[in-house]
Amino acid sequence: MKFNMQKSAMFIELDNRVDAYFERNKISKTGGWRLYIKTIFWLALFLTSYSLLIFFPEQSKPIAIILCIVQGLSWAGIGFNVVHDASHGSYSGSKAINKTFSYLFDWLGVSNYMWRSKHNIAHHTYPNIEDEDDDIETLGLMRLTPNQKWKWYHRLQAFYAIPLYSLLYVAWISKKDLEKYKIGIVGNTKIPKMKKWDKILFWFFKVLYLFIYFFIPILVSGPVALIGYFIAAKVCGITISLVFQLAHIVRKAQFPIPVNDKIESDFYLHQIRTTSDFATNSKIVSWFVGGLNFQVIHHLFPKISHVHYGAIQKISLGVFREYGVKYNHYNTLIGAIFNGHIGHLWDMGKNPH
């Protein structure tokens, strides 16, 4: 798959203005103290909810369920706010620190080695392109793009999407990671060959995950602990699925079809056309999802920490207006979910013939 990688006049201007912003304010493009505070919060929430479930197993069922929900939200929060920046190298100016925090994914059952190829390379290079972007592959369970084959049950996908999303996290840490380990490819992107130490870490963390989330809880609380785990896993699955889908699988996003393995637009314009922002005026949403609601900005500047996305968006909107570039955006979270995503699923569920 090939793009025109030459920067257009628009993107050169945007790049210059963003660089000028950081130089003028004498600030780093990495996360800084704001991201460190968020890291402490999410890790504390994770450790506290887990510890209360393990060391105080005789608490009431409602409290236990709430703690399981919080545990699932903390998994998503760590991924959104800490690991995502670290895997892009924008958490810190230190490669060692970025690498260290990217391993938090492995503690949560997700191989950060596979994630870097799946997300940083395949997804960020080829968003919404069939057979290239693994994020739009559903094995036929859903029809997410006009280019995918329609099946009769897709008529109902707007209704069964959320229950299906609840399974994503478990499928991700088990089936998807193991498949990528076995075949060494994501979409059409080859995963860098794993060294011996990479393989050891892959299996070490998979076993450690089973020990932390299955062996210890069952030892403490018995088989009922499995119910608690799946509550947390479903909460996490729905949360991360919706955030991922609202960024690309919405009515306003495009799904380009390559011609002779080439995309018509240049690389940077492709990122804008296939991506959508949502609820960027909501500080609560922005804080919780780690700036992933500024997805257009993230795709244009993946090496800049999400704590700066609000300022960069203002700069970007000015440049977009000057050059007449359409900016995909939903004002509210509810609008993005129902009009943007669920509406898109409804549209894609109709028989195209």
Side-chain angles (χ1 to χ4, degrees), residues 35 37 42 56 73-74 121 126 143 190 198 210-211 218 226 254 281 303 312 320 322 347 351:
L35 191 47
I37 290 176
W42 285 110
F56 300 95
L73 291 174
S74 74
I121 301 175
Y126 311 109
R143 183 173 183 255
K190 187 175 181 181
D198 296 321
L210 293 174
F211 182 79
I218 291 175
L226 293 175
Q254 295 184 12
N281 290 324
K303 294 294 184 181
I312 296 177
F320 292 165
E322 290 176 22
D347 295 341
N351 191 335

Side-chain angles (χ1 to χ4, degrees), residues 33 39 270 282 336 350:
W33 64 269
T39 301
H270 175 80
S282 171
K350 297 176 182 177

Side-chain angles (χ1 to χ4, degrees), residues 286-328:
S286 299
W287 195 90
F288 174 67
V289 304
L292 291 177
N293 54 326
F294 291 88
Q295 193 73 195
V296 174
I297 308 305
H298 172 60
H299 269 255
L300 292 176
F301 300 99
K303 294 294 184 181
I304 297 178
S305 173
H306 74 266
V307 301
H308 304 296
Y309 286 171
I312 296 177
Q313 184 205 37
K314 294 177 182 178
I315 299 171
S316 300
L317 289 180
V319 175
F320 292 165
R321 283 192 293 268
E322 290 176 22
Y323 285 84
V325 173
K326 182 183 177 182
Y327 168 62
N328 298 326

Side-chain angles (χ1 to χ4, degrees), residues 170-244:
V170 174
W172 186 359
I173 66 177
S174 55
K175 181 180 182 292
K176 290 191 174 184
D177 264 359
L178 295 178
E179 280 182 350
K180 291 176 178 60
Y181 179 91
K182 181 179 179 181
I183 65 177
I185 193 170
V186 50
N188 285 324
T189 299
K190 187 175 181 181
I191 298 172
K193 187 176 181 180
M194 300 179 77
K195 298 177 181 178
K196 184 177 181 180
W197 180 244
D198 296 321
K199 294 181 179 180
I200 291 174
L201 287 177
F202 179 90
W203 289 111
F204 169 77
F205 279 111
K206 290 299 182 186
V207 173
L208 181 64
Y209 183 83
L210 293 174
F211 182 79
I212 293 174
Y213 294 102
F214 288 88
F215 179 78
I216 292 178
I218 291 175
L219 185 66
V220 170
S221 302
V224 71
L226 293 175
I227 297 177
Y229 171 80
F230 284 108
I231 290 174
K234 286 178 177 292
V235 168
C236 181
I238 292 172
T239 304
I240 60 178
S241 294
L242 279 178
V243 171
F244 291 162

Side-chain angles (χ1 to χ4, degrees), residues 6-71:
Q6 185 175 355
K7 290 185 178 180
S8 65
M10 184 205 75
F11 193 77
I12 291 174
E13 179 64 24
L14 177 58
D15 219 7
N16 290 337
R17 292 189 193 182
V18 170
D19 285 341
Y21 164 79
F22 285 100
E23 291 173 5
R24 183 172 61 253
N25 292 282
K26 297 180 180 180
I27 54 178
S28 170
K29 293 182 179 181
T30 56
W33 64 269
R34 286 182 289 176
L35 191 47
Y36 302 153
I37 290 176
K38 294 183 79 174
T39 301
I40 293 171
F41 171 84
W42 285 110
L43 289 179
L45 190 67
F46 161 71
L47 292 172
T48 299
S49 56
Y50 181 83
S51 298
L52 289 174
L53 286 165
I54 296 301
F55 296 111
F56 300 95
E58 297 181 358
Q59 56 202 295
S60 66
K61 289 182 180 179
I63 295 298
I65 291 173
I66 291 173
L67 288 174
C68 290
I69 293 173
V70 171
Q71 180 72 182

Side-chain angles (χ1 to χ4, degrees), residues 64-346:
I65 291 173
I66 291 173
L67 288 174
C68 290
I69 293 173
V70 171
Q71 180 72 182
L73 291 174
S74 74
W75 297 347
I78 291 171
F80 293 154
N81 293 275
V82 184
V83 180
H84 187 241
D85 272 31
S87 68
H88 279 291
S90 63
Y91 184 93
S92 167
S94 166
K95 290 184 178 181
I97 292 177
N98 286 322
K99 186 174 183 179
T100 298
F101 279 99
S102 69
Y103 274 108
L104 286 175
F105 243 179
D106 295 87
W107 283 90
L108 299 177
V110 178
S111 168
N112 87 88
Y113 190 96
M114 302 302 169
W115 166 258
R116 291 196 298 272
S117 291
K118 168 186 169 59
H119 182 74
N120 294 18
I121 301 175
H123 172 66
H124 267 269
T125 306
Y126 311 109
N128 285 8
I129 298 179
E130 203 72 29
D131 299 325
E132 299 288 348
D133 183 3
D134 187 62
D135 285 1
I136 60 175
E137 176 55 58
T138 68
L139 301 177
L141 295 176
M142 299 177 69
R143 183 173 183 255
L144 300 182
T145 82
N147 315 321
Q148 292 175 336
K149 185 178 179 180
W150 181 85
K151 298 182 180 180
W152 66 268
Y153 50 81
H154 291 151
R155 299 177 192 270
L156 303 174
Q157 65 179 7
F159 301 100
Y160 66 71
I162 300 301
L164 196 62
Y165 292 164
S166 72
L167 305 176
L168 174 69
Y169 175 70
V170 174
W172 186 359
I173 66 177
S174 55
K175 181 180 182 292
K176 290 191 174 184
D177 264 359
L178 295 178
E179 280 182 350
K180 291 176 178 60
Y181 179 91
K182 181 179 179 181
I183 65 177
I185 193 170
V186 50
N188 285 324
T189 299
K190 187 175 181 181
I191 298 172
K193 187 176 181 180
M194 300 179 77
K195 298 177 181 178
K196 184 177 181 180
W197 180 244
D198 296 321
K199 294 181 179 180
I200 291 174
L201 287 177
F202 179 90
W203 289 111
F204 169 77
F205 279 111
K206 290 299 182 186
V207 173
L208 181 64
Y209 183 83
L210 293 174
F211 182 79
I212 293 174
Y213 294 102
F214 288 88
F215 179 78
I216 292 178
I218 291 175
L219 185 66
V220 170
S221 302
V224 71
L226 293 175
I227 297 177
Y229 171 80
F230 284 108
I231 290 174
K234 286 178 177 292
V235 168
C236 181
I238 292 172
T239 304
I240 60 178
S241 294
L242 279 178
V243 171
F244 291 162
Q245 301 293 58
L246 297 186
H248 298 282
I249 312 301
V250 291
R251 280 173 164 164
K252 293 182 180 181
Q254 295 184 12
F255 302 87
I257 300 176
V259 178
N260 296 324
D261 287 336
K262 292 183 179 180
I263 295 296
E264 178 185 359
S265 64
D266 67 63
F267 176 80
Y268 306 99
L269 192 56
H270 175 80
Q271 305 300 317
I272 298 172
R273 289 175 173 174
T274 58
T275 309
S276 180
D277 288 354
F278 61 93
T280 54
N281 290 324
S282 171
K283 293 184 178 180
I284 294 176
V285 172
S286 299
W287 195 90
F288 174 67
V289 304
L292 291 177
N293 54 326
F294 291 88
Q295 193 73 195
V296 174
I297 308 305
H298 172 60
H299 269 255
L300 292 176
F301 300 99
K303 294 294 184 181
I304 297 178
S305 173
H306 74 266
V307 301
H308 304 296
Y309 286 171
I312 296 177
Q313 184 205 37
K314 294 177 182 178
I315 299 171
S316 300
L317 289 180
V319 175
F320 292 165
R321 283 192 293 268
E322 290 176 22
Y323 285 84
V325 173
K326 182 183 177 182
Y327 168 62
N328 298 326
H329 181 263
Y330 290 90
N331 291 327
T332 66
L333 177 63
I334 297 300
I337 292 175
F338 290 100
N339 181 32
H341 180 57
I342 299 299
H344 176 75
L345 295 182
W346 181 260

